[in-house]
């Protein structure tokens, strides 16, 4: 664990990302895509195709974070681009995406026993869930995972009206926070949304980096296992 910026100020509020932080998004993505390729009769979905789609998807979400496209645009256009590469009828992109939003929540794989960890922290620290995912997908994931019963409040960007890392997203969250920024920390895997958003807003940041990819931003902490939060939070 990188503790270069250890501060004695106790953290009282934790903002926690969902996908690829608390739960394994990539495995859920793979399961959903395979299910829907079968349902839509699109033929074989190879591992290489899944990796290709995943990269396209990440690129589109980053365009959303940079406000280059709207969420409705990226949700459809990512599939249109992917389908075009494989000579699949692009006119099914909307229907495919609608089904995809629901199917994503069918596969829940916890990272580092995250549910038990959050249950342990509940009551010891204020827990807010902050996610850029769609309301349909995230609501089902939260219910199926049990996280809907753990967090004090849940903030989904689609409902808030702004995406992380936008200042306006954090402004909305901080309407419900009555402690100093030094006592708030965001935990997430995304450098471009979680870490950049937290740094820009002036709160502590904890980069969840289990694969050791690194981060080019000056984050407060970097961890490879969520249990390292217990040391940071002193609980």
């Amino acid at each position: 664990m990188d503790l270069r910026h250890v501060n004695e100020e106790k953290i009282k509020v934790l903002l926690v990302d969902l996908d690829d932080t608390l739960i394994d998004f990539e495995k859920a993505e793979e399961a959903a895509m395979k299910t829907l390729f079968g349902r839509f009769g699109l033929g074989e979905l190879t591992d290489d195709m899944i990796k290709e789609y995943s990269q396209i998807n990440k690129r589109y979400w980053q365009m959303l974070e940079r406000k280059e496209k709207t969420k409705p645009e990226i949700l459809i256009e990512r599939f249109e681009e992917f389908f075009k590469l494989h000579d699949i009828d692009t006119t099914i992109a909307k229907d495919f995406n609608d089904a995809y939003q629901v199917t994503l929540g069918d596969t829940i794989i916890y990272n580092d026993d995250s549910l038990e960890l959050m249950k342990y922290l509940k009551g010891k620290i204020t827990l807010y869930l902050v996610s850029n995912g769609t309301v349909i997908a995230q609501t089902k994931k939260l219910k199926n995972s049990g996280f809907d019963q753990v967090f004090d409040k849940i903030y989904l960007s689609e409902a808030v009206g702004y995406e992380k890392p936008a200042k306006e997203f954090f402004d909305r969250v901080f309407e419900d926070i009555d402690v100093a920024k030094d006592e708030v920390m965001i935990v997430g895997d995304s450098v471009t949304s979680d870490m950049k958003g937290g740094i820009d807003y002036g709160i502590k940041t904890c980069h969840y980096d289990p694969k050791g990819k690194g981060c080019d931003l000056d984050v407060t902490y970097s961890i490879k296992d969520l249990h390292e939060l217990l040391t940071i939070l002193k609980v």
Side-chain angles (χ1 to χ4, degrees), residues 106-172:
D106 290 341
T107 301
I108 302 295
I109 298 174
Y110 301 100
N111 289 330
D112 308 330
D113 298 318
S114 56
L115 180 60
E116 295 308 312
L117 179 61
M118 291 299 112
K119 285 181 177 179
Y120 173 78
L121 291 176
K122 186 175 177 64
K124 298 178 176 64
I125 190 168
T126 301
L127 297 172
Y128 289 169
L129 190 285
V130 291
S131 173
N132 274 358
T134 67
V135 169
I136 292 175
Q138 304 310 72
T139 299
K140 187 172 183 181
K141 291 176 194 176
L142 290 166
K143 181 179 180 180
N144 286 352
S145 65
F147 284 122
D148 62 336
Q149 301 298 312
V150 175
F151 284 88
D152 296 287
K153 290 194 177 180
I154 293 169
Y155 301 88
L156 304 180
S157 62
E158 194 171 84
V160 170
Y162 297 94
E163 312 287 329
K164 298 177 293 181
K167 175 182 179 295
E168 292 87 350
F169 178 91
F170 290 90
D171 282 341
R172 172 62 190 89

Side-chain angles (χ1 to χ4, degrees), residues 33-46:
M33 290 290 286
K34 286 183 175 179
T35 294
L36 293 179
F37 257 61
R39 187 183 303 173
F40 280 76
L42 301 181
E44 181 185 10
L45 178 67
T46 67

Side-chain angles (χ1 to χ4, degrees), residues 18-216:
L18 181 63
D19 290 321
D20 277 334
T21 299
L22 295 177
I23 59 177
D24 190 323
F25 175 77
E26 290 185 1
K27 286 188 172 60
E29 177 183 67
E30 178 179 346
M33 290 290 286
K34 286 183 175 179
T35 294
L36 293 179
F37 257 61
R39 187 183 303 173
F40 280 76
L42 301 181
E44 181 185 10
L45 178 67
T46 67
D47 290 344
D48 285 342
M49 288 170 69
I50 291 171
K51 291 177 182 177
E52 183 181 55
Y53 167 73
S54 182
Q55 290 304 310
I56 290 172
N57 184 48
K58 288 175 183 177
R59 176 160 49 81
Y60 272 88
W61 279 95
Q62 287 170 359
M63 284 190 274
L64 177 66
E65 293 166 6
R66 296 192 298 266
K67 302 180 181 179
E68 295 171 1
K69 288 184 178 291
T70 66
K71 182 169 282 184
E73 287 174 338
I74 69 140
L75 293 178
I76 305 303
E77 290 178 14
R78 58 182 177 170
F79 287 120
E80 289 178 337
E81 179 177 329
F82 177 65
F83 290 162
K84 188 174 182 180
L85 289 173
H86 297 282
D87 296 321
I88 296 171
D89 181 7
T90 59
T91 64
I92 70 167
K94 183 183 183 306
D95 289 341
F96 191 94
N97 175 69
D98 289 345
Y100 180 73
Q101 297 305 316
V102 177
T103 310
L104 265 178
D106 290 341
T107 301
I108 302 295
I109 298 174
Y110 301 100
N111 289 330
D112 308 330
D113 298 318
S114 56
L115 180 60
E116 295 308 312
L117 179 61
M118 291 299 112
K119 285 181 177 179
Y120 173 78
L121 291 176
K122 186 175 177 64
K124 298 178 176 64
I125 190 168
T126 301
L127 297 172
Y128 289 169
L129 190 285
V130 291
S131 173
N132 274 358
T134 67
V135 169
I136 292 175
Q138 304 310 72
T139 299
K140 187 172 183 181
K141 291 176 194 176
L142 290 166
K143 181 179 180 180
N144 286 352
S145 65
F147 284 122
D148 62 336
Q149 301 298 312
V150 175
F151 284 88
D152 296 287
K153 290 194 177 180
I154 293 169
Y155 301 88
L156 304 180
S157 62
E158 194 171 84
V160 170
Y162 297 94
E163 312 287 329
K164 298 177 293 181
K167 175 182 179 295
E168 292 87 350
F169 178 91
F170 290 90
D171 282 341
R172 172 62 190 89
V173 176
F174 266 76
E175 289 177 8
D176 300 321
I177 294 177
D178 59 0
V179 301
K181 286 186 177 181
D182 278 353
E183 299 172 309
V184 181
M185 182 170 76
I186 184 169
V187 182
D189 68 293
S190 174
V191 174
T192 54
S193 65
D194 303 313
M195 297 302 98
K196 185 177 188 305
I199 289 171
D200 289 349
Y201 207 74
I203 62 176
K204 289 184 173 68
T205 51
C206 181
H207 184 218
Y208 176 59
D209 186 23
K211 296 180 181 178
K213 293 182 179 179
C215 177
D216 58 359

